[in-house]
Amino acid sequence: MLCIYWLLCGKGVPDNRESTNEIRTELDRATDTKQDIADTATAIQDTVGELQDSIGKAETAIDTATGASQRFDQILGECQDIIEQIRNQPAK
């Protein structure tokens, strides 16, 4: 009896296997995309960390250079004072 019902009514039932496969494919793609986004976010975080380290090193280098420049100015001033003192000494 069930076979007769299927023969009479079953022909109008749409086949959803293809739609289900399409949905699975889309879900797989979405999962892959999600992983790609997560990987990209991790790479960005790593890059930001590296940039922050580089910025810290650059700031240290700037501080060192500034200190050296100030010390150079101080030494130059002392040298100029010594030269001026030598010039002002009476000739022998």
Side-chain angles (χ1 to χ4, degrees):
M1 183 65 137
L2 188 57
C3 289
I4 295 172
Y5 177 77
W6 181 79
L7 287 173
L8 293 174
C9 299
K11 289 184 180 181
V13 176
D15 184 5
N16 288 331
R17 282 181 287 176
E18 187 172 326
S19 296
T20 303
N21 287 337
E22 288 174 5
I23 291 170
R24 282 191 186 119
T25 300
E26 287 300 316
L27 286 174
D28 289 343
R29 286 182 189 154
T31 301
D32 291 345
T33 300
K34 178 184 172 190
Q35 186 60 49
D36 289 345
I37 291 169
D39 292 344
T40 300
T42 299
I44 290 170
Q45 288 174 337
D46 292 345
T47 301
V48 167
E50 292 170 8
L51 288 173
Q52 287 173 335
D53 289 345
S54 295
I55 288 170
K57 290 176 183 176
E59 288 172 341
T60 301
I62 289 170
D63 291 344
T64 301
T66 301
S69 176
Q70 290 170 348
R71 180 67 181 135
F72 180 78
D73 288 342
Q74 181 184 2
I75 292 170
L76 184 60
E78 290 172 5
C79 289
Q80 288 173 337
D81 288 344
I82 292 170
I83 292 170
E84 189 63 31
Q85 287 174 10
I86 293 171
R87 284 184 182 157
N88 291 334
Q89 288 182 353
K92 291 186 182 180

